[in-house]
Amino acid sequence: MSERDRVQFLLWRAGFGATPAQVDAATAKGYAATVDDLLNYADAPADAPQVPAMPAPLPKNPTGDEKTAFAKARNEAVSAGRKIATNWWATLLKTSGTPLQENLTLFWHNHFATSDEKVRHPGFMMQQNQLFREKGAGKFVDLLMAVSKDPAMLIWLDGQSSVKGHPNENWSREVMELFTLGIGNYTETDVREGARASTGWTLNEQTGEVKFVANRFDSGSKTVLGQSGNLSMDDFSRLLAGHPETAKYVSRKLFWWFAGDTPSDSDLQPMTDAWSATGGDIRSVLRALFTSDAFSPDHSAGNRIKNPVAWTVGALRGLGADLGSDVMGQMLQMQGMILFDPPNVGGWSQGGAWISPSSQVLRFNLAGQLLTKTGMLNGAANDDTLNQIVDRLGSFPLTDDLRAKLLDLGKGADGQRAIAQILLAGPGYQAR
């Protein structure tokens, strides 16, 4: 495997893709320097547009007309805000100069899956998105503590209604099952006691203010994962983040996202070692992954099917093309991945879940639309142009038989476009 192959794989898996010129420039710097360039971004929010404000709360004992007007105003604000938010993020995914930051933001959005379908407040969803952008590469414990008190999450898992005497178990159950430890590493008692520790937090949905109210908090002794005391929400987060099973669970999910499925214990070892050495610093964990033997085209190139964002954004980045954010959003929606709207608390499925006979036909048709709308790759193809198209799509091997058939197809006036359409819907690109 050449240095360029390794760099190209990194840019596609970590950063949604790159043009051949960008790959050449990164190769000239070297693999280690390219890893540094990807990882060493500022932990800062992105410039974001304003979304419409939610309507003022209803008065006490509202009339029927007031209720109707409020529902109409809220629906309009939510609908307009969702469009602004999704178009903003779709554009960032394609254009950001820190693509790993956006990829990691998408990972955390899928990990701490929160949907505006229930939250119904695009401003809170964007606030959570910025939280992932600011804290997603730092210490996991800091991210977890912030997410636990994030307005969108307080609504999504009903944390704002969790009070002494009536603790809501949604957060404590999901944070252990899906966000930290994984199934089998906690008990129902841990769920109940974790729920007690998580009481007391309120949210003003009009202003977005999150506040701890002492008389709503269960201040009695609790025992979670063998640790006892007057545990708070942050204490609960620290216990979870510091547990060895969390290091394995989150590292495995990061491996699945960036490298491929079914990592072995030895594949994960560099990541969990980095977690232990740094107290769960995600940037260090990713560095360990990107510099490990397991992160290579030879080891994992065929083990991960692109999700709709990686498929669509990768094509645009690799081709150096552009689509309006509206069109990008429509393409993602047609493929079943609507930004800010994962299907459930478990997030979107990964890998082979994106492949079916109908999805293959859809991606073939979408590839044709993408190439037509961007006006890319006009003219007949030859061996050189075929090689260039493959390089633009991340480079993957072609059998002699497939190469011959593609070149025969590429003789026509739209040959290059026809070849690219087939490759975009084919296994080589989708697993790159």
Side-chain angles (χ1 to χ4, degrees):
M1 178 178 57
S2 71
E3 180 82 348
R4 188 180 191 278
D5 290 339
R6 196 176 181 211
V7 166
Q8 190 168 37
F9 182 77
L10 172 69
L11 294 177
W12 276 84
R13 286 298 179 92
F16 292 124
T19 64
Q22 290 168 332
V23 174
D24 290 338
T27 303
K29 286 186 172 183
Y31 187 83
T34 302
V35 170
D36 288 341
D37 285 347
L38 284 168
L39 286 168
N40 293 341
Y41 57 80
D43 294 320
D47 291 336
Q50 291 291 322
V51 296
M54 294 295 108
L58 284 166
K60 290 184 178 180
N61 304 315
T63 66
D65 286 345
E66 287 173 327
K67 290 180 181 179
T68 300
F70 175 84
K72 181 175 183 293
R74 172 134 198 186
N75 287 341
E76 289 175 349
V78 169
S79 179
R82 283 180 180 173
K83 183 173 183 179
I84 291 170
T86 54
N87 286 354
W88 164 70
W89 196 13
T91 299
L92 269 179
L93 289 164
K94 162 62 179 66
T95 62
S96 174
T98 54
L100 176 59
Q101 186 179 32
E102 294 310 312
N103 202 350
L104 194 55
T105 297
L106 185 63
F107 168 82
W108 290 124
H109 177 43
N110 192 55
H111 181 79
F112 294 108
T114 307
S115 172
D116 198 43
E117 191 64 29
K118 177 178 177 178
V119 175
R120 288 183 55 77
H121 199 303
F124 291 166
M125 295 300 297
M126 290 175 69
Q127 182 178 333
Q128 186 186 78
N129 188 269
Q130 297 279 36
L131 170 63
F132 296 150
R133 200 170 278 109
E134 292 181 80
K135 294 185 179 293
K139 300 272 190 179
F140 180 74
V141 65
D142 295 334
L143 175 62
L144 183 62
M145 285 193 292
V147 169
S148 71
K149 293 167 282 194
D150 167 73
M153 185 62 76
L154 286 172
I155 297 173
W156 177 238
L157 292 181
D158 306 300
Q160 62 175 333
S161 64
S162 190
V163 299
K164 178 180 179 178
H166 299 282
N168 189 295
E169 295 181 1
N170 285 355
W171 166 257
S172 62
R173 184 177 303 280
E174 304 303 355
V175 73
M176 288 192 280
E177 177 180 335
L178 296 172
F179 305 158
T180 57
L181 303 174
I183 294 173
N185 295 306
Y186 59 91
T187 67
E188 285 299 308
T189 298
D190 292 325
V191 172
R192 290 192 294 271
E193 297 288 88
R196 291 178 58 213
S198 303
T199 54
W201 291 93
T202 64
L203 168 67
N204 183 323
E205 292 192 36
Q206 186 66 27
T207 65
E209 180 187 14
V210 174
K211 186 167 64 173
F212 177 75
V213 179
N215 63 12
R216 292 169 61 96
F217 173 64
D218 185 335
S219 59
S221 181
K222 307 119 185 150
T223 301
V224 179
L225 300 172
Q227 300 294 311
S228 299
N230 179 19
L231 302 176
S232 66
M233 174 89 89
D234 284 351
D235 294 327
F236 185 33
S237 293
R238 280 188 283 266
L239 283 173
L240 295 176
H243 199 285
E245 291 299 330
T246 295
K248 295 177 186 177
Y249 182 80
V250 178
S251 292
R252 184 176 292 109
K253 289 192 71 172
L254 286 165
F255 190 99
W256 285 343
W257 188 266
F258 289 101
D261 59 6
T262 323
S264 66
D265 289 343
S266 61
D267 290 336
L268 293 178
Q269 195 66 52
M271 301 174 70
T272 54
D273 285 349
W275 187 294
S276 178
T278 64
D281 179 71
I282 299 301
R283 186 174 271 109
S284 299
V285 173
L286 288 177
R287 185 183 299 279
L289 170 61
F290 296 153
T291 56
S292 71
D293 292 339
F295 190 79
S296 72
D298 295 337
H299 185 86
S300 62
N303 293 338
R304 188 193 127 219
I305 304 301
K306 283 181 168 59
N307 62 46
V309 168
W311 186 85
T312 305
V313 175
L316 295 172
R317 280 185 173 265
L319 294 170
D322 196 15
L323 286 172
S325 54
D326 277 341
V327 177
M328 279 183 63
Q330 291 165 12
M331 285 191 171
L332 296 178
Q333 182 172 357
M334 291 174 69
Q335 294 175 76
M337 194 172 186
I338 305 172
L339 299 176
F340 298 107
D341 190 17
N344 52 57
V345 73
W348 291 283
S349 299
Q350 296 300 307
W354 296 114
I355 294 297
S356 68
S358 60
S359 69
Q360 286 294 90
V361 172
L362 174 63
R363 285 192 171 183
F364 178 79
N365 291 332
L366 289 176
Q369 292 179 32
L370 184 152
L371 292 163
T372 299
K373 288 180 180 293
T374 58
M376 298 296 297
L377 304 176
N378 297 306
N382 55 38
D383 203 56
D384 287 340
T385 54
L386 172 56
N387 290 338
Q388 291 168 17
I389 292 169
V390 172
D391 196 28
R392 286 186 179 201
L393 299 182
S395 285
F396 39 84
L398 300 178
T399 64
D400 291 341
D401 181 61
L402 177 57
R403 176 177 287 274
K405 288 178 178 177
L406 290 172
L407 287 172
D408 186 58
L409 176 69
K411 292 177 181 177
D414 291 325
Q416 292 188 53
R417 188 173 296 174
I419 286 173
Q421 182 176 2
I422 290 171
L423 292 177
L424 281 167
Y429 174 72
Q430 295 199 62
R432 189 55 163 137

